[in-house]
């Protein structure tokens, strides 16, 4: 198992930041073509509008991934590369990340948002070594929000503002969490109307988190707000920022979360499994496995009386586990 | 019933835009104080963090409303003013807007987001005459997104970019809407776990919109995405932008939507009632009553073959009505 020095890591970080800026600009340039009427000029207006938008977006997605992959191969030919686009075209759904230095990239997260030009989209670039996300770069160019982190160097918004945003002091988790928390969750793509299927289990979990205290047979969490952005990557960035307190999700993939996990952990957040264990009140709370497709993230937290920040986060994890259902997003090799 | 000339309206618009910029800056300045540790410096850290944040936000909310109200009273002493903060403190829940020139203002929409420093918050300034929202200004300073419109002058983002964003041509509503649509909805504050209460009716409606086609006994809408931002005002701005296709909501108030309705309608969007009429397939589709607390907005739409944009919007309204429940947000005097 090779080691990477902090100096080497700093160089990789600087490269990743530059890469994220260039890739974000590519996304924004392609969006501008659509705003400026690129579709209309090249095609007939009727029946093809939506299909055209989707085709153009797929093309952009592929172009940005190819660009990032090429840049990395030039600079770090010995590093592995796992990208959303190339993975999706392959036959395997195995988890491909091992101990090697590996880039895990989503050229465009929030694809549906990008198709509709809702600003919550981004490029996500993670660098992983020994199975640990060490560097994260998330660029949301339409929002002009750029998130980045490097292990040992802190996590930042727009390169200057340390995450979480409120530092003096970092707020503790609310005493009655999840009450008082902003809860972020996604409806996802699995919309099958199967009794006790993933869609219905998700909804049941969301409603438990949202309902009044005492409601739902004691499971009501009365969260302060429920948010769905349509981007797992930005959900994680906002948890790292402290804007969201809790993110709970099943079904997304390692490239959706690799950069976000790096940023969240460097900011002091916690990420574990979405899947409540049987002994939810006492089970050890371990870092999530990157390829597990089941994620529960808690924002960076300060202490509260005798309770450390970590203890407050763990208390919140258990309160979430008590209210959510197990989801079924199995995969081979994970 | 007095009339207002276009020239006079243009002057009011310029004033409203300036007011929106100043108010947005006040929100951002107050957020910066919290980021810089204003809470920690003035108070003990323990148990008061959240309460402090809420108190500070309430203070900001009141300050911004007082500022806007004062500026308007100086410039247009003959105009009426309805603001969220002053209204909420009053005993009446009556609808107070009549034919008079009236400003309808929410100094801070997305209060929960602002408390948590999630960027989806804004100030909302609407100008209404003869019960019609004529001018809208929405400033989301953390997002650096500024939306504005004046009847007869168009709707804009950041003062230069016409809404909807895609103009050449404006995309038609999808053929199988709500399939292909981004659906925006909010969980709101009413979380009472009452069988067939508003929370459960909302959830049932959301799930109908989201589930696969053919699911939910034929009500499945298979929307492209479900989004919840926690700001009715920004939901409307994104519908005007074309980023959201459909927004369906019950429970918010006239100051949450007055500016957004002005912008949406000027951009070519449609807004009617969230409440499905009994004859949903044939009922006339009328502009929403501002104080009705039940809103269904459809984005600006272009034509598709023989179908006009308006016809596509109305087709979408009926498809939404077919999938949603009636909500109970009655009020006196509406």
């Amino acid at each position: 198992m090779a080691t990477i020095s902090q100096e080497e890591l700093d160089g990789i970080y600087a490269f990743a930041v530059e890469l994220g800026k260039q890739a974000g600009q590519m996304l924004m340039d392609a969006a501008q073509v659509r705003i400026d009427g690129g579709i209309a000029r090249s095609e007939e207006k009727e029946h093809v509008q939506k299909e055209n938008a989707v085709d153009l977006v797929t093309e952009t997605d592929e172009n940005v991934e190819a660009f990032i992959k090429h840049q990395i191969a030039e600079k770090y030919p010995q590093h592995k590369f796992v990208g959303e686009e190339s993975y999706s075209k392959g036959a395997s759904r195995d988890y491909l990340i091992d101990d090697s230095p590996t880039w895990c990239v989503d050229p465009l997260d929030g694809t549906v948002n990008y198709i509709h030009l809702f600003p919550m989209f981004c490029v996500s670039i993670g660098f992983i070594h020994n199975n640990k996300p060490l560097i994260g770069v998330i660029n949301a160019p339409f929002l002009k929000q750029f998130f980045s982190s490097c292990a040992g160097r802190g996590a930042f918004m727009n390169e200057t503002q340390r995450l979480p945003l409120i530092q003096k002091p970092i707020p503790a988790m609310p005493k009655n969490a999840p009450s008082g928390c902003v809860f972020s969750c996604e409806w996802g793509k699995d919309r099958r109307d199967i009794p006790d299927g993933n869609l219905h289990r998700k909804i049941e979990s969301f409603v438990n988190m949202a309902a009044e205290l005492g409601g739902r047979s004691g499971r009501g969490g009365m969260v302060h707000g429920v948010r769905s952005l349509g981007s797992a990557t930005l959900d994680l960035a906002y948890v790292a920022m402290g804007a969201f307190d809790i993110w709970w999700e099943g079904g997304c993939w390692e490239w959706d979360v690799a950069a976000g996990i790096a940023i969240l952990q460097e900011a002091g957040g916690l990420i574990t499994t979405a899947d409540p264990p049987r002994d939810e009140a006492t089970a050890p709370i371990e870092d999530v496995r990157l390829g597990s497709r089941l994620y529960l993230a808690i924002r960076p937290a300060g202490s509260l009386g005798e309770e450390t920040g970590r203890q407050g986060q763990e208390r919140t994890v258990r309160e979430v586990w008590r209210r959510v259902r197990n989801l079924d997003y199995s995969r081979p090799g994970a």
Side-chain angles (χ1 to χ4, degrees), chain A:
Chain A
M1 197 192 283
T3 58
I4 295 181
S5 69
Q6 183 76 49
E7 191 185 348
E8 200 179 346
L9 202 61
D10 289 345
I12 298 171
Y13 183 36
F15 169 77
V17 164
E18 196 49 44
L19 205 50
K21 287 179 186 175
Q22 291 173 3
Q25 191 57 50
M26 286 177 75
L27 290 180
M28 217 44 213
D29 288 347
Q32 199 59 48
V33 168
R34 290 170 56 214
I35 292 171
D36 292 341
I39 302 174
R41 277 200 295 270
S42 60
E43 301 280 344
E44 280 299 305
K45 179 180 162 193
E46 290 193 22
H47 36 237
V48 285
Q49 289 171 334
K50 172 64 69 174
E51 288 72 10
N52 263 359
V54 173
D55 286 350
L56 273 176
V57 166
T58 305
E59 194 185 312
T60 303
D61 211 342
E62 291 172 353
N63 287 347
V64 174
E65 178 159 322
F67 166 77
I68 294 172
K69 190 174 180 176
H70 175 78
Q71 296 294 106
I72 291 170
E74 291 260 301
K75 177 90 176 176
Y76 297 108
Q78 73 283 24
H79 289 180
K80 281 178 63 178
F81 181 88
V82 175
E84 195 259 342
E85 285 301 307
S86 21
Y87 186 97
S88 300
K89 283 187 183 150
S92 158
R93 285 294 165 270
D94 287 357
Y95 179 64
L96 299 176
I97 296 172
D98 58 20
D99 282 354
S100 320
T102 304
W103 295 80
C104 188
V105 170
D106 192 349
L108 171 57
D109 190 79
T111 310
V112 169
N113 293 338
Y114 189 68
I115 291 170
H116 294 259
L117 293 174
F118 175 57
M120 287 282 170
F121 58 83
C122 61
V123 52
S124 172
I125 299 173
F127 176 74
I128 300 163
H129 188 224
N130 294 331
N131 270 301
K132 195 171 157 40
L134 296 180
I135 288 171
V137 169
I138 296 171
N139 188 1
F142 203 158
L143 297 167
K144 297 189 176 69
Q145 290 183 336
F146 185 94
F147 303 92
S148 60
S149 75
C150 177
R153 299 298 187 203
F156 295 89
M157 184 170 76
N158 298 336
E159 299 184 81
T160 53
Q161 191 137 30
R162 189 173 282 271
L163 301 180
L165 272 190
I166 298 183
Q167 289 272 340
K168 300 177 250 176
I170 297 172
M173 295 307 296
K175 272 187 185 165
N176 302 314
S179 174
C181 292
V182 174
F183 173 59
S184 162
C185 57
E186 302 292 347
W187 291 67
K189 289 174 191 159
D190 183 356
R191 310 283 185 70
R192 287 172 297 171
D193 185 25
I194 300 169
D196 208 39
N198 279 327
L199 177 65
H200 291 280
R201 290 179 185 207
K202 273 192 167 183
I203 301 308
E204 184 184 332
S205 305
F206 299 173
V207 175
N208 285 346
M209 293 291 283
E212 62 185 331
L213 293 171
R216 308 282 289 178
S217 310
R219 292 192 168 191
M222 194 60 197
V223 295
H224 209 187
V226 179
R227 302 290 176 264
S228 300
L229 304 182
S231 163
T233 305
L234 287 171
D235 287 332
L236 271 170
Y238 288 122
V239 178
M241 192 170 153
F244 291 162
D245 301 278
I246 301 164
W247 176 64
W248 178 80
E249 171 66 328
C252 51
W253 300 88
E254 43 273 27
W255 48 83
D256 296 317
V257 298
I261 289 175
I263 295 170
L264 176 70
Q265 290 183 324
E266 185 63 19
L270 179 157
I271 186 157
T272 188
T273 180
D275 218 18
R278 263 178 224 185
D279 50 341
E280 67 199 16
T282 55
I285 293 173
E286 292 168 356
D287 282 356
V288 77
R289 286 177 301 113
L290 182 59
S292 68
R293 305 189 66 201
L294 294 163
Y295 308 98
L296 169 58
I298 310 290
R299 69 159 166 84
S303 61
L304 184 71
E306 310 236 312
E307 184 187 72
T308 66
R310 172 77 192 192
Q311 286 167 336
Q313 290 170 327
E314 294 202 353
R315 168 171 58 78
T316 307
V317 165
R318 297 189 197 285
E319 290 295 331
V320 175
W321 279 346
R322 201 163 75 70
R323 290 169 169 87
V324 296
R325 297 286 309 275
N326 299 79
L327 301 173
D328 178 20
Y329 290 104
S330 55
R331 71 189 292 173

